[in-house]
Amino acid sequence: MGLDTGFYRDGEEVFYLRNHDGLFDAFAKGSGGNVYEGYSDFYVTLGTLAVVANMLEEEFAASGLTLADALFDIPEELHELDARAAEWKDLLLYYPAVVTFLANDIIENGPLICSWSA
């Protein structure tokens, strides 16, 4: 089993990740609140993304990386990557593009819902 994380609006998937535990933890920490009482789905807002961006900044510094090292587009291989077998430092390079993608979507369309299962 793995950690499946989907970002939804109006029941439609906007973005999906599998086994990106460290990134998911930052999203959960910055949660915009639970969508439904008794369920673990939570809102993802610009405030959520600020928490994630702060975590990324700290992790980049701790790993000896700068944001200039990050990818600016989300490559197709991110969806196929086995994140649990990858080095954290390598995964970090993808995550600013994910945050930017989600931020642009939230600015244009409003908060997302993060639904996950492990």
Side-chain angles (χ1 to χ4, degrees), residues 1 16 30 38 53 56-57 64 79 96 104:
M1 269 185 90
Y16 171 83
L56 291 177
E57 188 176 306
H79 300 286
N104 289 337

Side-chain angles (χ1 to χ4, degrees), residues 17 46 60 63 65 75 98 106 108 115:
L17 290 169
L46 291 177
F60 264 68
S63 298
L65 298 169
V98 171
I106 289 169
E108 189 173 319
S115 181

